Amino acid sequence: MAAPVTPAARPEDYEAALNAALADVPELARLLEIDPYLKPYAVDFQRRYKQFSQILKNIGENEGGIDKFSRGYESFGVHRCADGGLYCKEWAPGAEGVFLTGDFNGWNPFSYPYKKLDYGKWELYIPPKQNKSVLVPHGSKLKVVITSKSGEILYRISPWAKYVVREGDNVNYDWIHWDPEHSYEFKHSRPKKPRSLRIYESHVGISSYEGKVASYKHFTCNVLPRIKGLGYNCIQLMAIMEHAYYASFGYQITSFFAASSRYGTPEELQELVDTAHSMGIIVLLDVVHSHASKNSADGLNMFDGTDSCYFHSGPRGTHDLWDSRLFAYSSWEVLRFLLSNIRWWLEEYRFDGFRFDGVTSMLYHHHGVGQGFSGDYSEYFGLQVDEDALTYLMLANHLVHTLCPDSITIAEDVSGMPALCSPISQGGGGFDYRLAMAIPDKWIQLLKEFKDEDWNMGDIVYTLTNRRYLEKCIAYAESHDQALVGDKSLAFWLMDAEMYTNMSVLTPFTPVIDRGIQLHKMIRLITHGLGGEGYLNFMGNEFGHPEWLDFPRKGNNESYHYARRQFHLTDDDLLRYKFLNNFDRDMNRLEERYGWLAAPQAYVSEKHEGNKIIAFERAGLLFIFNFHPSKSYADYRVGTALPGKFKIVLDSDAAEYGGHQRLDHSTDFFSEAFEHNGRPYSLLVYIPSRVALILQNVDLPN
C-alpha cells in the first residue's frame, strides 16, 4: 500500500492524486474542509470508497442488489414451503457431503442428502407427507450432518438456525425447528428517531433481584416501566444473540440468528421490543460481528470440517486474546451471512439500530492489542488497517440506513479512527455515533489514583470535550465494562464497604457516604452535559448499585449472587439509593426539556484549578460545578453569553437528591454587562462545596 501523497512530494503528483480522490468520492471535499489534516490521506479515503462502491456494484450485478442479497435467511437454513414440504440450503464449501437429520427421521444421518450446487452451496427439498402435513413439525430437533473430506462425520447446527436451546445438563445446545402456527403480530410502530439519545444499557438475564436468569417477560413487565420513568428514550440490549457461555456476557456468539432461549421465546423478545416502542423507547441491539465463538458442535467454527468457511484459516482467523474466530470479511458468502443477520434483527424483531461491538478489533490487523493510539493520523492508515473489515462496516451502515433511515448505529471504537462517524459519501464509515471510551477510564483513574483536592479541572474538561468535530459521541461515566468482576462501579469506588452499613437514612451521613453520593451525581451530570451528543448508563448504576457484576462460573461455584440487579434498593424509602435514582431521573427529564445533547458543543468559560470550579454553557443553560471537597464560595462570578434573570433548575444539593439544602431555589440571579472569562455578561452565585448546578435564563423561551 502506497505511502500518503503529501505536499512534500512533487506538487503536481500531490494535486493530481488529491483531485482524483475528490472526483471519486462524492463529498470528500466536505470531509477535508472539516479536517484539512486528512488531506495527505485523501487517496486512502478514495481507495476505501471505491472498494465499497465496487462491492455494492458487484452485489447488484450478481445478486440483484443489496436488498435481495441481505435476505439470505429467506432461503438458507430450513423453511416450510407452501405445499407443506421443506426447503433446506447451506453453504459448506469444504464438505464432501451434507445431510439433514433429526427427530423426523429417527436420527438417520444419511437418509436426506443435500444436492451440491455451485460455489459451495447445498440444497435439499423434502416433500410433505401424503396427508400434506409437514414432515418436520414446530419444536422438533434437527442437525446438519457434514461428511468432511477427511472422512469425519460431523453433527452441526445450521448457521441460520433461529432457535437453539440447552436442555438439562447437556453441554451443547440443540437446534429446534422454530415454526409456530401463529407468529407475533407487532401492534406499535417504531418511535421517531429522538433528537437526543439517552441510552439505558441493559442485560435481560441479570434484570431481576433473584439469583436466577431473568426472562424477556420479566424485563418487559418490570424493567421497561422503570426505564421509561427514569427518562431514558433508548435501550441497548446486550447478550441477545445466542451464546452458549452465559459468563461471556453475550460476546462469544454461537448462533447469530437465534435470540437467546435462556430468557424465553422469540415471540417474547418481539413483545419486549414492541412494548418499548409503545412507550416511545427505541431499542438497539448489541451486535457482535467482530468475532465468533470457537464452539464447533453448536457454533460456526469448523462448520464444514475446515478451519476456514466463515473465517480466515490459520493464525489470521483467531483472536488470541479473546480465544475466538475472526470472520473473512472479503468472502462473498460471509458478507451475505453478516448483512442478512443485520437485516434479520431489524425486520424480524424490529430493532431500531445497533451498537457494533469490537470495532477496533475489526479495523486493524493488530486488533488494537498493545496499541496506545496517540492520535497520530499515521496510525489510522496504511497496512495495519483491515480495509476488508472497514468495507464491511460501510456496507452494514449503508444497509441499515437504507432499510430504516431513522435507525441508529454506534461504533465501539477505542482507537479514534478519523471519519468513522462521517457519512459514507465523504469516504467515512457511516456510523451515527461512537462511544467516548476515554471518559469512564478518566473517572476511574481519578478515583483510584488522586485525592479529591488534586483533581485537575483542565484534564477533566479536556477528556470530556476531546472529540472530533461533527462526529457524534455517546458519553458515559461507566458502562457494563466498569461493573465487571475485577473492577468496580463508580459507587463502589466511592463508598466501598460502607454501602453495606451506612446507606440508611436513619443514620447520619458518614464522610465516605456523603462524599460518594455528592460526587456520584456530579460525575454523571458533567459527563451528561459536556461529554457528548448522547448519554449512556448501565442498568442499576443510576442509583449506585452496590458491588460488581459476575456471572455464574466455576470460579464462583456457579453463583448468581452478583449476576442480578437489586432494583428494590431504590424502592426502599429508608435507603439513600433513592436520592441517586431521583437525580438521574430529573437530569434526564431536564435534558428532554432543553435538549443539550442535541445542541452544539458547550462553551467552557472556567476551569479553575485552585477553586476546583468548572463552568460552561450549552443549550442556553449555565452549568456550574464545584469539585472542591470543603470550600464554598459566596458571590462567585460566573461568565455567561446572556443578559437577564436566571433561576436554578437543577441542584445536586437539594433534599430529594440527598444534598445539604444550602441553596435557596427562590433566589433570582441577574447577569450584568460585566465581561468575565471571555463572556460579555456575568452573574454572582453562591456555590457550596461538592455541588453541581444548572441555571436557566428565564427571560428566554423554554
Side-chain angles (χ1 to χ4, degrees):
M1 193 173 292
V5 182
T6 67
R10 289 201 313 165
E12 58 269 30
D13 291 342
Y14 172 73
E15 287 301 324
L18 181 59
N19 289 333
L22 290 168
D24 285 337
V25 186
E27 297 177 19
L28 179 59
R30 175 61 178 146
L31 178 66
L32 302 184
E33 177 190 347
I34 294 167
D35 186 355
Y37 291 102
L38 288 174
K39 278 187 178 181
Y41 304 97
V43 291
D44 291 86
F45 289 109
Q46 176 191 30
R47 185 179 58 256
R48 294 170 183 181
Y49 183 81
K50 287 180 75 172
Q51 184 171 332
F52 159 79
S53 299
Q54 187 60 52
I55 292 175
L56 209 55
K57 181 183 176 184
N58 292 346
I59 289 172
E61 292 174 350
N62 296 289
E63 300 281 353
I66 196 168
D67 180 72
K68 187 178 178 183
F69 187 62
S70 61
R71 295 177 182 268
Y73 53 81
E74 293 181 356
S75 57
F76 285 86
V78 174
H79 301 273
R80 175 163 47 91
C81 303
D83 64 359
L86 215 63
Y87 179 75
C88 314
K89 190 176 182 181
E90 297 295 344
W91 178 61
E96 189 67 28
V98 179
F99 308 83
L100 188 70
T101 188
D103 293 335
F104 75 101
N105 72 340
W107 292 97
N108 183 324
F110 305 121
S111 61
Y112 286 95
Y114 285 63
K115 175 187 173 185
K116 189 172 186 178
L117 306 174
D118 292 335
Y119 308 112
K121 296 172 191 172
W122 303 76
E123 72 173 2
L124 165 67
Y125 173 72
I126 305 176
K129 295 179 181 177
Q130 286 186 339
N131 63 3
K132 299 298 181 183
S133 64
V134 293
L135 185 66
V136 180
H138 167 66
S140 58
K141 294 180 183 178
L142 293 172
K143 279 283 173 71
V144 173
V145 179
I146 303 284
T147 55
S148 73
K149 293 192 186 327
S150 62
E152 288 181 284
I153 299 171
L154 308 168
Y155 286 80
R156 296 288 188 251
I157 291 176
S158 170
W160 305 83
K162 298 176 177 68
Y163 192 65
V164 296
V165 298
R166 177 188 282 154
E167 295 184 344
D169 295 328
N170 290 357
V171 174
N172 297 320
Y173 273 71
D174 289 313
W175 171 20
I176 304 297
H177 181 54
W178 199 257
D179 186 22
E181 185 178 351
H182 301 291
S183 57
Y184 181 82
E185 292 187 15
F186 285 88
K187 304 171 185 65
H188 306 282
S189 58
R190 299 175 188 267
K192 290 183 179 179
K193 185 177 182 178
R195 63 169 185 167
S196 298
L197 205 56
R198 301 182 300 275
I199 304 171
Y200 198 80
E201 186 184 31
S202 304
H203 186 293
V204 170
I206 66 167
S207 63
S208 167
Y209 70 89
E210 298 178 74
K212 65 177 186 180
V213 178
S215 67
Y216 296 125
K217 282 279 190 185
H218 171 85
F219 192 93
T220 301
C221 297
N222 298 283
V223 184
L224 283 182
R226 288 185 182 274
I227 297 171
K228 175 68 175 175
L230 283 165
Y232 290 93
N233 57 15
C234 175
I235 299 167
Q236 180 182 300
L237 278 183
M238 310 171 61
I240 295 297
M241 301 165 74
E242 190 60 271
H243 47 293
Y245 185 41
Y246 188 44
S248 75
F249 221 138
Y251 292 122
Q252 293 271 346
I253 306 301
T254 43
S255 290
F256 283 73
F257 286 83
S260 183
S261 61
R262 55 171 56 88
Y263 317 129
T265 66
E267 290 74 25
E268 287 166 347
L269 174 58
Q270 289 168 326
E271 181 187 32
L272 186 162
V273 175
D274 198 21
T275 306
H277 286 169
S278 76
M279 298 176 173
I281 299 171
I282 65 171
V283 188
L284 306 181
L285 177 72
D286 200 344
V287 70
V288 186
H289 283 179
S290 48
H291 64 132
S293 168
K294 268 190 173 179
N295 288 20
S296 55
D298 54 7
L300 283 185
N301 191 26
M302 305 286 291
F303 174 69
D304 64 354
T306 71
D307 78 331
S308 53
C309 198
Y310 288 92
F311 310 107
H312 291 292
S313 61
R316 190 181 173 189
T318 302
H319 195 299
D320 293 331
L321 205 62
W322 296 346
D323 194 32
S324 55
R325 298 304 313 275
L326 298 173
F327 287 104
Y329 299 105
S330 59
S331 164
W332 193 259
E333 293 303 324
V334 171
L335 285 178
R336 186 197 309 276
F337 180 78
L338 294 175
L339 291 172
S340 296
N341 192 234
I342 290 289
R343 185 176 194 138
W344 168 258
W345 293 107
L346 279 176
E347 300 206 337
E348 184 72 9
Y349 290 94
R350 301 265 183 104
F351 280 96
D352 302 289
F354 303 94
R355 178 263 202 188
F356 280 76
D357 179 69
V359 168
T360 306
S361 175
M362 297 174 71
L363 290 174
Y364 307 97
H365 292 295
H366 54 60
H367 308 301
V369 178
Q371 304 295 313
F373 293 110
S374 65
D376 188 302
Y377 277 8
S378 64
E379 296 172 331
Y380 307 115
F381 304 94
L383 291 172
Q384 67 266 37
V385 178
D386 187 340
E387 295 198 344
D388 291 334
L390 179 55
T391 302
Y392 162 67
L393 291 171
M394 294 168 73
L395 289 165
N397 277 306
H398 171 75
L399 176 67
V400 169
H401 293 113
T402 300
L403 293 173
C404 303
D406 275 354
S407 57
I408 292 168
T409 58
I410 302 170
E412 189 216 20
D413 171 41
V414 73
S415 76
M417 166 74 80
L420 188 64
C421 300
S422 299
I424 294 170
S425 57
Q426 295 179 7
F431 283 97
D432 295 296
Y433 298 87
R434 61 157 43 96
L435 293 176
M437 300 180 73
I439 296 175
D441 292 343
K442 175 55 62 179
W443 291 123
I444 294 297
Q445 180 197 31
L446 288 171
L447 293 173
K448 285 173 68 173
E449 300 176 13
F450 294 89
K451 296 178 181 178
D452 295 3
E453 55 268 29
D454 294 332
W455 285 18
N456 186 300
M457 300 296 104
D459 189 33
I460 292 172
V461 169
Y462 175 79
T463 303
L464 289 168
T465 57
N466 180 27
R467 52 189 185 271
R468 293 186 56 78
Y469 180 57
L470 296 182
E471 292 191 47
K472 294 187 286 189
C473 286
I474 303 293
Y476 58 106
E478 54 185 335
S479 70
H480 69 272
D481 287 323
Q482 286 71 42
L484 286 171
V485 64
D487 205 339
K488 300 178 184 178
S489 66
L490 286 181
F492 219 53
W493 275 112
L494 286 162
M495 296 177 276
D496 212 11
E498 287 205 22
M499 295 188 79
Y500 297 117
T501 56
N502 296 323
M503 288 297 279
S504 170
V505 298
L506 302 178
T507 60
F509 262 138
T510 65
V512 168
I513 296 297
D514 186 15
R515 170 183 179 265
I517 284 179
Q518 310 319 325
L519 284 179
H520 193 273
K521 293 177 291 186
M522 296 180 70
I523 287 170
R524 300 174 92 75
L525 180 58
I526 197 170
T527 302
H528 206 307
L530 194 57
E533 289 71 38
Y535 177 76
L536 178 143
N537 165 68
F538 179 65
M539 64 188 310
N541 286 353
E542 71 276 4
F543 65 84
H545 197 286
E547 301 174 329
W548 52 88
L549 194 58
D550 191 14
F551 285 85
R553 53 188 174 84
K554 286 182 180 179
N556 63 13
N557 295 317
E558 304 295 335
S559 171
Y560 283 85
H561 181 75
Y562 297 108
R564 58 193 181 120
R565 296 282 93 177
Q566 301 179 62
F567 287 110
H568 63 284
L569 294 175
T570 193
D571 297 332
D572 191 331
D573 210 40
L574 296 179
L575 295 177
R576 292 188 166 110
Y577 296 101
K578 65 179 181 180
F579 298 138
L580 300 179
N581 196 74
N582 292 344
F583 186 79
D584 199 77
R585 175 199 65 208
D586 291 350
M587 175 175 68
N588 282 324
R589 289 180 178 177
L590 199 66
E591 199 289 323
E592 173 67 22
R593 184 177 170 189
Y594 292 101
W596 62 70
L597 289 170
Q601 191 161 322
Y603 182 93
V604 181
S605 62
E606 182 161 352
K607 40 190 176 181
H608 197 292
E609 299 301 340
N611 296 338
K612 301 300 175 194
I613 298 285
I614 295 173
F616 61 87
E617 292 167 282
R618 193 175 186 188
L621 298 173
L622 177 58
F623 293 73
I624 306 170
F625 295 82
N626 180 3
F627 280 98
H628 202 288
S630 58
K631 282 187 180 180
S632 299
Y633 304 98
D635 292 337
Y636 196 93
R637 188 170 292 279
V638 180
T640 176
L642 301 170
K645 183 169 74 173
F646 289 75
K647 298 282 286 187
I648 294 172
V649 290
L650 188 65
D651 167 20
S652 68
D653 206 38
E656 60 266 36
Y657 310 138
H660 298 286
Q661 308 171 61
R662 289 170 287 180
L663 287 157
D664 182 357
H665 290 197
S666 66
T667 303
D668 295 331
F669 303 90
F670 293 91
S671 65
E672 52 186 325
F674 188 97
E675 190 276 336
H676 185 69
N677 286 339
R679 308 308 269 164
Y681 300 91
S682 60
L683 63 158
L684 299 175
V685 188
Y686 170 49
I687 315 174
S689 59
R690 284 201 184 120
V691 159
L693 299 173
I694 301 180
L695 276 64
Q696 183 228 344
N697 187 308
V698 297
D699 294 335
L700 293 176
N702 289 348

